[in-house]
Amino acid sequence: MFNTPVLDVAIGLVFIFLLYSLLATSVNEAIATGLSLRARMLRKAIMLRMLSNTEEENKVLNFLKGFAGIFTEIVYIFGGAPEKRPEDKNIGDQFYSHPIIKNYASSSFFKIPSYLAASNFAIILIESLKEDFNNKVNEIAAQKFGNGKSVREVFDELNNSPDIIKIKELLDYYAWYYAANPGIKTYNELPGLPRGLDKEIHCILQLHLRNSLFDFNAFNKKIEGWYNDTMDRVSGWYKRQTQFILFVLGFILAFIFNVDTVAITNNLSTDKDARDQMVQLAVQSADLYKNDPRIQKQVQPAAETNPDSLLKLSQGYLNEAKKTLDSSLKNPNMVAGLGWGEYGQDDPAFIQKLSAKCFHRFLIFGRIKMKDSLNAVSNRINKEITLQPPVNKDSLILVQFYKEQVKNFPVRIKTSYIFYSVGAKKILGFIITAFAICLGAPFWFDLLNKLIKMRGTGNNNNSSNTVDLTATKETSTTAINTTSTQNTSEEAVG
């Protein structure tokens, strides 16, 4: 019941998705480690979400800004972000300029940490609030002036206060400022100094301070809990970012290796030998990859801070990708008919279409027209043939023309064939493959094991049925033979 061609096709497809998911996972981890994507996601969460106002924009504009931000971030990775003016910096910039953050930097390239403990976050934030208090102590003293005290007395009293009182007075000052200016969400009253706490962050910190009953240790714990709750959401953000990267990598891999899900399904459905070979390879690989770390439910982030170790780790992921590419993908690709073959060498229609193209030669002025090259090859072959021309002379001319053009323009000829072969149906197959790859290797490995187990159950049931039928047949034969013998004996006696 379970051992059907449909199940074998499903096993073959899942096996292909697993192998390319493993390849995409290795490349993704190399990119994440080499470009510090985890560290950049952590900085984004702290600076733009925890310590800044939330921008109120419509979904379309927000999506477009996020998409443009990807390319901006790529430029910043290699070229560095522009230096902000002092008045454009907020508490988040002060946070990331703290010595503890700088101490976690592994090199001039890996300047920010990929992990930060909740206790360290609370310490740095409180130190940043104390620094902000020192920058605004004169304004706070002027705002509290009165009750028979001079400004100097108020100033000295504020400076000699405990840290929790300094934070309270700072937040009270922001509360007074934003109440007096209801249309303003960002404090920017002191030219040449950071702009201070944004309105939403002031509200959050004041809420935690009140809930801690103005106790320093309790306030510290509230800040740690706030950070841990945010990090739980950041894990989801990073997962979505990883899925997006895997989708892009999946589409690129599908395009490069011609992993067309629609075509693979058709090939496996119609070719029994390919289907059987694919199932055999899948069963062998199920044992091979069961201890692979890429199969685990969650890939652990790199804990190394040494730049040499990070580079070695990134190189290790690339080596895993190369190993998967060289060993694991070779046989399945041949069985499933993946790849671009000879890039159109056996396709006369493509070669005829290629002859109408014009290519530029690098470092040489002028253009080469493919039709002229085809005519030159044809004339040369006609001169070389002195005896009776062969029947497949036209085919010989096209093959020789193709070989010469591939030698002169290898990248352009192969690229032309790829775009010549790609249509709406193939693009659909690539998109399906990309969506499958972004589901991740653990998903496909678990599904592959379940399908193999289901197929094995079907085989066992069929084997049991065969044994029972054989045994029944042998018993029946024995009974018939015994009856015949008895009948023969009776007749002899009679």
Short mmCIF file of all heavy atoms in Angstrom, two decimals, residues 93-122:
data_model
loop_
_atom_site.label_atom_id
_atom_site.label_comp_id
_atom_site.label_asym_id
_atom_site.label_seq_id
_atom_site.Cartn_x
_atom_site.Cartn_y
_atom_site.Cartn_z
N ASP A 93 23.29 55.66 20.85
CA ASP A 93 24.67 55.91 20.43
C ASP A 93 25.60 56.00 21.64
O ASP A 93 26.74 55.51 21.60
CB ASP A 93 24.73 57.21 19.63
CG ASP A 93 23.94 57.12 18.34
OD1 ASP A 93 24.42 56.44 17.41
OD2 ASP A 93 22.85 57.70 18.27
N GLN A 94 25.13 56.63 22.73
CA GLN A 94 25.92 56.66 23.95
C GLN A 94 26.14 55.24 24.48
O GLN A 94 27.21 54.91 24.99
CB GLN A 94 25.22 57.50 25.01
CG GLN A 94 25.19 58.99 24.72
CD GLN A 94 24.46 59.74 25.82
OE1 GLN A 94 23.35 60.23 25.63
NE2 GLN A 94 25.07 59.84 26.98
N PHE A 95 25.09 54.42 24.37
CA PHE A 95 25.18 53.03 24.84
C PHE A 95 26.30 52.29 24.12
O PHE A 95 27.14 51.63 24.74
CB PHE A 95 23.83 52.34 24.62
CG PHE A 95 23.76 50.93 25.13
CD1 PHE A 95 23.24 50.68 26.39
CD2 PHE A 95 24.19 49.86 24.37
CE1 PHE A 95 23.17 49.39 26.88
CE2 PHE A 95 24.13 48.56 24.85
CZ PHE A 95 23.61 48.33 26.11
N TYR A 96 26.33 52.39 22.78
CA TYR A 96 27.32 51.62 22.00
C TYR A 96 28.70 52.27 21.98
O TYR A 96 29.64 51.69 21.44
CB TYR A 96 26.81 51.40 20.58
CG TYR A 96 26.16 50.05 20.44
CD1 TYR A 96 24.81 49.87 20.77
CD2 TYR A 96 26.88 48.93 20.02
CE1 TYR A 96 24.21 48.63 20.66
CE2 TYR A 96 26.30 47.70 19.92
CZ TYR A 96 24.96 47.53 20.24
OH TYR A 96 24.38 46.30 20.15
N SER A 97 28.84 53.45 22.54
CA SER A 97 30.17 54.04 22.69
C SER A 97 30.75 53.79 24.07
O SER A 97 31.85 54.27 24.39
CB SER A 97 30.10 55.55 22.44
OG SER A 97 29.27 56.19 23.40
N HIS A 98 30.06 52.99 24.88
CA HIS A 98 30.53 52.70 26.23
C HIS A 98 31.76 51.78 26.18
O HIS A 98 31.85 50.91 25.30
CB HIS A 98 29.41 52.04 27.05
CG HIS A 98 29.67 52.01 28.52
ND1 HIS A 98 30.41 51.03 29.13
CD2 HIS A 98 29.29 52.87 29.52
CE1 HIS A 98 30.47 51.25 30.43
NE2 HIS A 98 29.80 52.37 30.69
N PRO A 99 32.70 51.93 27.11
CA PRO A 99 33.92 51.09 27.10
C PRO A 99 33.65 49.59 27.17
O PRO A 99 34.42 48.80 26.63
CB PRO A 99 34.68 51.58 28.35
CG PRO A 99 34.22 52.99 28.54
CD PRO A 99 32.78 53.00 28.10
N ILE A 100 32.57 49.18 27.87
CA ILE A 100 32.28 47.74 27.94
C ILE A 100 31.98 47.19 26.55
O ILE A 100 32.44 46.10 26.17
CB ILE A 100 31.11 47.48 28.90
CG1 ILE A 100 31.52 47.82 30.33
CG2 ILE A 100 30.67 46.01 28.81
CD1 ILE A 100 30.41 47.60 31.35
N ILE A 101 31.19 47.92 25.74
CA ILE A 101 30.89 47.48 24.38
C ILE A 101 32.17 47.44 23.55
O ILE A 101 32.43 46.49 22.81
CB ILE A 101 29.85 48.41 23.73
CG1 ILE A 101 28.52 48.33 24.48
CG2 ILE A 101 29.66 48.06 22.26
CD1 ILE A 101 27.81 47.01 24.37
N LYS A 102 32.98 48.46 23.66
CA LYS A 102 34.23 48.50 22.91
C LYS A 102 35.16 47.38 23.34
O LYS A 102 35.93 46.84 22.53
CB LYS A 102 34.92 49.85 23.09
CG LYS A 102 34.15 51.02 22.46
CD LYS A 102 34.89 52.33 22.64
CE LYS A 102 34.15 53.47 21.96
NZ LYS A 102 34.84 54.77 22.13
N ASN A 103 35.11 47.02 24.61
CA ASN A 103 35.97 45.93 25.09
C ASN A 103 35.57 44.59 24.51
O ASN A 103 36.39 43.68 24.37
CB ASN A 103 35.89 45.88 26.62
CG ASN A 103 36.84 44.86 27.21
OD1 ASN A 103 38.04 44.91 27.01
ND2 ASN A 103 36.29 43.91 27.94
N TYR A 104 34.28 44.44 24.16
CA TYR A 104 33.81 43.19 23.56
C TYR A 104 34.17 43.08 22.09
O TYR A 104 34.00 42.01 21.49
CB TYR A 104 32.30 43.06 23.72
CG TYR A 104 31.85 42.67 25.10
CD1 TYR A 104 30.56 42.94 25.54
CD2 TYR A 104 32.71 42.03 25.97
CE1 TYR A 104 30.14 42.58 26.80
CE2 TYR A 104 32.31 41.66 27.23
CZ TYR A 104 31.02 41.95 27.65
OH TYR A 104 30.61 41.59 28.90
N ALA A 105 34.62 44.17 21.47
CA ALA A 105 34.97 44.12 20.05
C ALA A 105 36.20 43.25 19.86
O ALA A 105 37.17 43.32 20.62
CB ALA A 105 35.24 45.53 19.53
N SER A 106 36.16 42.40 18.84
CA SER A 106 37.28 41.48 18.59
C SER A 106 38.35 42.08 17.70
O SER A 106 39.50 41.67 17.75
CB SER A 106 36.76 40.19 17.96
OG SER A 106 36.11 40.48 16.73
N SER A 107 37.97 43.04 16.85
CA SER A 107 38.94 43.65 15.95
C SER A 107 38.33 44.92 15.38
O SER A 107 37.20 45.28 15.72
CB SER A 107 39.33 42.68 14.81
OG SER A 107 38.22 42.46 13.96
N SER A 108 39.08 45.59 14.52
CA SER A 108 38.55 46.79 13.87
C SER A 108 37.43 46.45 12.90
O SER A 108 36.62 47.32 12.55
CB SER A 108 39.67 47.53 13.13
OG SER A 108 40.27 46.67 12.16
N PHE A 109 37.35 45.20 12.45
CA PHE A 109 36.27 44.79 11.54
C PHE A 109 35.05 44.33 12.33
O PHE A 109 33.93 44.72 12.05
CB PHE A 109 36.75 43.67 10.62
CG PHE A 109 35.76 43.28 9.57
CD1 PHE A 109 35.59 44.04 8.43
CD2 PHE A 109 34.97 42.15 9.73
CE1 PHE A 109 34.67 43.70 7.45
CE2 PHE A 109 34.04 41.79 8.76
CZ PHE A 109 33.90 42.57 7.62
N PHE A 110 35.27 43.50 13.37
CA PHE A 110 34.19 43.04 14.24
C PHE A 110 34.14 43.96 15.46
O PHE A 110 34.66 43.65 16.52
CB PHE A 110 34.41 41.58 14.66
CG PHE A 110 34.50 40.61 13.52
CD1 PHE A 110 35.72 40.16 13.06
CD2 PHE A 110 33.35 40.17 12.90
CE1 PHE A 110 35.79 39.28 12.01
CE2 PHE A 110 33.42 39.28 11.84
CZ PHE A 110 34.64 38.83 11.39
N LYS A 111 33.48 45.12 15.29
CA LYS A 111 33.53 46.18 16.31
C LYS A 111 32.46 46.03 17.37
O LYS A 111 32.55 46.68 18.41
CB LYS A 111 33.39 47.55 15.64
CG LYS A 111 34.53 47.90 14.70
CD LYS A 111 34.32 49.28 14.09
CE LYS A 111 35.46 49.65 13.17
NZ LYS A 111 35.27 51.00 12.55
N ILE A 112 31.44 45.24 17.14
CA ILE A 112 30.32 45.15 18.07
C ILE A 112 30.09 43.69 18.44
O ILE A 112 30.35 42.78 17.65
CB ILE A 112 29.04 45.75 17.44
CG1 ILE A 112 28.77 45.15 16.08
CG2 ILE A 112 29.17 47.26 17.34
CD1 ILE A 112 27.51 45.67 15.40
N PRO A 113 29.62 43.43 19.66
CA PRO A 113 29.43 42.04 20.09
C PRO A 113 28.17 41.43 19.50
O PRO A 113 27.20 42.13 19.19
CB PRO A 113 29.31 42.17 21.62
CG PRO A 113 28.74 43.53 21.83
CD PRO A 113 29.32 44.39 20.73
N SER A 114 28.18 40.13 19.35
CA SER A 114 27.00 39.42 18.87
C SER A 114 26.14 38.91 20.02
O SER A 114 25.05 38.40 19.81
CB SER A 114 27.41 38.24 17.99
OG SER A 114 28.23 37.34 18.72
N TYR A 115 26.64 39.05 21.24
CA TYR A 115 25.89 38.62 22.43
C TYR A 115 26.19 39.59 23.57
O TYR A 115 27.32 40.04 23.73
CB TYR A 115 26.27 37.20 22.84
CG TYR A 115 25.67 36.78 24.17
CD1 TYR A 115 24.32 36.41 24.27
CD2 TYR A 115 26.44 36.79 25.34
CE1 TYR A 115 23.77 36.05 25.47
CE2 TYR A 115 25.88 36.42 26.55
CZ TYR A 115 24.55 36.05 26.62
OH TYR A 115 24.00 35.71 27.82
N LEU A 116 25.17 39.90 24.34
CA LEU A 116 25.32 40.80 25.48
C LEU A 116 24.44 40.29 26.60
O LEU A 116 23.22 40.11 26.41
CB LEU A 116 24.93 42.23 25.09
CG LEU A 116 25.19 43.33 26.12
CD1 LEU A 116 26.68 43.49 26.36
CD2 LEU A 116 24.58 44.65 25.67
N ALA A 117 25.04 40.06 27.75
CA ALA A 117 24.27 39.57 28.90
C ALA A 117 23.33 40.65 29.41
O ALA A 117 23.59 41.85 29.29
CB ALA A 117 25.22 39.13 30.01
N ALA A 118 22.23 40.21 30.01
CA ALA A 118 21.24 41.16 30.52
C ALA A 118 21.84 42.04 31.62
O ALA A 118 21.52 43.24 31.72
CB ALA A 118 20.02 40.41 31.05
N SER A 119 22.70 41.46 32.45
CA SER A 119 23.32 42.25 33.52
C SER A 119 24.20 43.35 32.94
O SER A 119 24.20 44.49 33.45
CB SER A 119 24.14 41.34 34.43
OG SER A 119 25.13 40.63 33.68
N ASN A 120 24.94 43.04 31.88
CA ASN A 120 25.79 44.07 31.26
C ASN A 120 24.95 45.14 30.58
O ASN A 120 25.31 46.32 30.59
CB ASN A 120 26.73 43.42 30.25
CG ASN A 120 27.87 42.68 30.92
OD1 ASN A 120 28.24 43.00 32.04
ND2 ASN A 120 28.40 41.68 30.24
N PHE A 121 23.82 44.72 29.98
CA PHE A 121 22.94 45.73 29.37
C PHE A 121 22.43 46.71 30.43
O PHE A 121 22.42 47.94 30.20
CB PHE A 121 21.75 45.04 28.70
CG PHE A 121 20.71 46.00 28.20
CD1 PHE A 121 20.86 46.65 26.98
CD2 PHE A 121 19.56 46.27 28.96
CE1 PHE A 121 19.89 47.55 26.52
CE2 PHE A 121 18.60 47.16 28.52
CZ PHE A 121 18.77 47.80 27.29
N ALA A 122 22.02 46.21 31.58
CA ALA A 122 21.52 47.09 32.64
C ALA A 122 22.61 48.02 33.14
O ALA A 122 22.36 49.21 33.37
CB ALA A 122 20.96 46.24 33.78
#
